[in-house]
């Protein structure tokens, strides 16, 4: 598969999140894929020290389902998000997948608050039955060690 | 005179079963807390494993006071004000580091031994005959009033005089003991950096919430309730193992009876814990090899006694909470009447299998992170309360559940797990330590 197809996928995924199409977004994920957001700059170990997120399919489903819940008070009113992506860099291209790294500015807002995060996103993508799927995603926040208020959506 | 004003203020805002909203919203009361309450109490500074070698230091704070914890050349830990005696510059500002044999101020290079004593001043002859030796500057970095290393946990009292460490904590230390005893070699080590979560609410709301057992099934229905629902409707083999999210988050949905029966214990001076008889941590699956290591270290009976303790949240007044069964400490750092920084730390049980650290790290990110769904549930409630309290139609916050007239907080008590007695216990201590800690 061409590099362009993978790059388009990264743009499309961000667009999907910005539109709040979380139910569709969760279907992009391989069942054993993990979403990792480290707590430390250059963190190597996601398991034996604290991360911000290290979530399997069950947790991601829970997250997405919760956003729509009738008693999810922290989403009444709802948050919105916005990704501005640099052109994704293809770090590794194979017949059946690719590794992509993307710089991104992420804005999340709710009520009168708005927050800006600078992100480095690493996608591990895989082609399954002709479709591109997410086999893993790592999101590093530039100021990962700063104190944050709520980050409720998915950077 | 000022003491009388302080007494009047404190008496005005605290009643046995309700507290005035000013304790959460008033800038003046916050100022008094920084000036009196925090200095009079024994407050958590850091863990000894963060300053393991001579010259190792961390920055910390008690109330609004900038401090540093450092391991002196002689191996002892010191707690000093992080303030150059010359013109006030903070001596160190990074979270942790090693300063070698001495501190050197980055402004005019006064240097200090790691116990704070003044070591040298460049161009010292400029001070000859000026009487510098008689000033407080000549004494170097000022030590805090007192500090104590309890099984690796460093607590300090800013005030020069006041209640002793043992008297302040008393029997409440049994929760720290249990957390440390869970290591087969009796030693904990801090793992990684803490989660840092900013809350736009008063610090006491967070402390109270640690023993608020009537909120989980309501406020966390969105996360825990949804987890249970997804699990139940998921297609899976009958004997499918529960995902970790179910083991950790789902117990928040336990019914009222569960929390009533788990019990709450209060100790004098504002300390207390939930989970006397059982807790949401009781049913975690066993980690292979751990039990054997414990039996080897302590013998069967003692090992069972240590592991049979399932205390949920232990509050150490004024502002930390520990969870013994999962080796965690949360520090509720007051930054303003409506601003609190929550740091959530985890520990490794030395001599125990790594899987325990993995579970502790997982618990931390699932429950305490700014990205945690459970965290979102809680913070939403605190911030709504902080804003709602500004309403002038009502002035009092009610903490009356299972209140009994004439409650005596100088006695340890074990009660129904949904009582708000621990919150009342905290305010009893608040009242006393605001005015010096006298009984
Ligand atoms: S302020 Fe520290 S040496 Fe001058
Ligand atoms: Fe909660």
């Amino acid at each position: 598969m061409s590099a362009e197809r993978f790059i388009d996928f990264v743009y499309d995924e961000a667009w999907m999140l910005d539109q709040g199409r979380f139910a569709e977004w969760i279907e992009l994920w391989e069942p054993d894929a993990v979403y990792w957001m480290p707590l430390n700059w250059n963190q190597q170990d996601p398991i034996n020290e604290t991360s911000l997120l290290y979530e399997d399919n069950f947790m991601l489903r829970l997250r997405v389902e919760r956003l729509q819940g009738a008693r999810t008070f922290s989403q009444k009113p709802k948050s919105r998000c916005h990704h501005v992506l640099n052109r994704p860099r293809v770090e590794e291209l194979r017949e059946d997948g690719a590794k992509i790294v993307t710089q991104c500015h992420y804005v999340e807002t709710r009520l009168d608050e708005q927050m800006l995060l600078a992100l480095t996103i690493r996608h591990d993508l895989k082609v399954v039955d002709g479709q591109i799927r997410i086999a893993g995603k790592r999101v590093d926040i530039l100021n990962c060690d700063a104190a944050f208020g709520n980050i409720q959506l998915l950077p | 005179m000022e003491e009388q004003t302080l007494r009047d203020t404190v008496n005005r805002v605290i009643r046995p079963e309700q507290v005035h909203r000013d304790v959460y919203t008033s800038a003046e009361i916050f100022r008094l807390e920084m000036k009196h309450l925090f200095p009079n109490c024994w407050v958590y500074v850091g863990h000894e494993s963060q300053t393991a070698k001579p010259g190792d230091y961390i920055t910390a704070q008690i109330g609004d006071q900038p401090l540093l914890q450092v391991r002196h050349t002689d191996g002892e830990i010191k707690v000093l004000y992080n303030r150059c005696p010359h013109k006030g510059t903070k001596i160190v500002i990074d979270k942790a580091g090693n300063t070698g044999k001495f501190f050197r101020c980055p402004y005019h290079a006064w240097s200090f031994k790691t116990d704070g004593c003044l070591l040298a001043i460049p161009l010292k002859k400029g001070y000859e005959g000026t009487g510098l030796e008689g000033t407080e500057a000549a004494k170097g970095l000022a030590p805090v009033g007192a500090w104590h290393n309890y099984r690796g946990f460093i607590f300090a009292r800013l005030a020069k005089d006041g209640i002793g460490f043992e008297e302040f904590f008393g029997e409440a230390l049994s929760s720290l003991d249990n957390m440390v005893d869970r290591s087969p070699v009796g030693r904990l080590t801090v793992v990684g950096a803490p989660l840092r979560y900013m809350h736009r609410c008063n610090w006491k709301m967070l402390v109270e919430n640690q023993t608020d057992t009537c909120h989980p099934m309501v406020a966390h229905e969105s996360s825990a309730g949804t987890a249970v629902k997804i699990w139940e409707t998921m297609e899976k083999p009958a004997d499918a193992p529960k995902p970790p999210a179910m083991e950790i988050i789902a117990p928040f949905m336990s019914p009222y009876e569960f929390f009533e029966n788990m019990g709450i214990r209060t100790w004098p001076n504002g300390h207390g814990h939930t989970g006397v008889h059982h807790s949401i941590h009781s049913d975690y699956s066993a980690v292979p090899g751990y039990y054997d290591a414990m039996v080897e270290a302590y013998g069967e009976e003692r090992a069972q006694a240590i592991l049979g303790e399932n205390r949920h949240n232990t509050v150490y007044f004024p502002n930390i909470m520990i969870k013994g069964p999962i080796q965690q400490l949360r520090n509720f750092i007051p930054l303003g009447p409506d601003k609190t920084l929550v740091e959530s730390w985890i520990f490794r049980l030395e001599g125990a299998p790594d899987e325990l650290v993995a579970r502790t790290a997982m618990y931390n990110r699932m429950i305490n992170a700014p990205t945690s769904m459970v965290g979102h549930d809680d913070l939403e409630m605190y911030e709504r309360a902080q804003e709602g309290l500004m309403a002038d139609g009502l002035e009092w916050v009610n903490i009356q559940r299972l209140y009994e007239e004439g409650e005596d907080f100088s006695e340890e008590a074990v009660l129904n797990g949904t009582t708000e007695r621990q919150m009342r216990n905290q305010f009893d201590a608040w009242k006393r330590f605001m005015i010096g800690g006298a009984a």
Side-chain angles (χ1 to χ4, degrees), chain B residues 4 41 87 93 136 172 175 202 226 308 329 376 394 415 430:
Chain B
Q4 191 52 45
C41 292
K87 296 196 77 181
I93 59 162
E136 62 175 16
S175 286
N202 188 269
T226 307
L329 183 150
H376 299 158
L394 293 161
L415 296 134
W430 188 89

Side-chain angles (χ1 to χ4, degrees), chain A residues 109-124:
Chain A
T109 183
R110 179 172 177 256
L111 293 164
D112 290 333
E113 296 296 320
Q114 182 164 292
M115 162 179 60
L116 171 67
L117 300 174
L119 310 175
T120 302
I121 307 175
R122 290 189 170 77
H123 280 91
D124 185 0

Side-chain angles (χ1 to χ4, degrees), chain B residues 171 174 259-268 271-278 309 311 402 404 407-422 424-425:
Chain B
E171 282 301 307
S174 55
F259 289 98
E260 287 194 294
N261 295 333
M262 84 185 215
I264 280 185
R265 177 183 279 118
T266 71
W267 292 288
H271 318 300
H273 78 95
T274 49
V276 179
H277 312 295
H278 62 87
E309 199 60 75
R311 297 184 185 190
L402 296 174
E404 291 165 40
E407 281 174 326
D408 178 4
F409 299 107
S410 67
E411 292 286 326
E412 177 178 326
V414 174
L415 296 134
N416 178 307
T418 58
T419 183
E420 287 170 344
R421 179 182 159 113
Q422 172 55 18
R424 298 188 288 276
N425 186 34

Side-chain angles (χ1 to χ4, degrees), chain B residues 83-91 104-112 122 127:
Chain B
R83 189 260 194 219
C84 180
H86 178 211
K87 296 196 77 181
T89 309
K90 277 185 170 178
I91 292 297
R104 178 178 181 275
C105 179
Y107 200 174
H108 313 95
W110 287 27
S111 58
F112 312 91
Y127 290 102

Side-chain angles (χ1 to χ4, degrees), chain A residues 37 39-40 46-56 58-67 69 71-77 108 110-111 113 141 144-153 155, chain B residues 95 191-198 200 218-219 221-223 226-227 229-231 234 243-246 249 341 346 348 354 357-358 361 364-366 369-373 375-377 379-381 384:
Chain A
M37 188 187 287
L39 173 61
N40 272 311
I47 309 282
N48 296 300
E49 53 186 282
T50 308
S51 297
L52 286 163
L53 291 181
Y54 187 74
E55 301 205 335
D56 60 11
F58 185 88
M59 281 298 282
L60 289 176
R61 272 180 201 282
L62 170 55
R63 206 168 263 284
V64 164
E65 190 100 348
R66 178 184 172 280
L67 289 174
R71 288 186 173 155
T72 304
F73 303 109
S74 76
Q75 282 299 299
K76 290 171 177 290
E108 189 174 304
R110 179 172 177 256
L111 293 164
E113 296 296 320
I141 303 179
C144 51
D145 45 4
F148 297 114
N150 280 346
I151 303 173
Q152 295 207 56
L153 299 183
Chain B
K95 294 192 178 79
V191 177
L195 287 163
R196 302 176 71 239
Y197 195 174
M198 196 62 85
R200 279 182 321 219
V218 183
E221 185 183 338
S222 88
S223 40
T226 307
K229 207 173 71 200
I230 295 177
W231 176 245
M234 220 165 97
M246 282 299 293
I249 300 181
L341 171 62
I346 60 169
R348 170 193 310 283
D354 280 348
V357 182
N364 209 22
R365 67 175 182 259
M366 278 189 190
T371 37
S372 147
M373 294 174 269
H376 299 158
D377 293 337
L379 180 53
E380 178 70 12
M381 296 308 129
R384 286 191 191 203

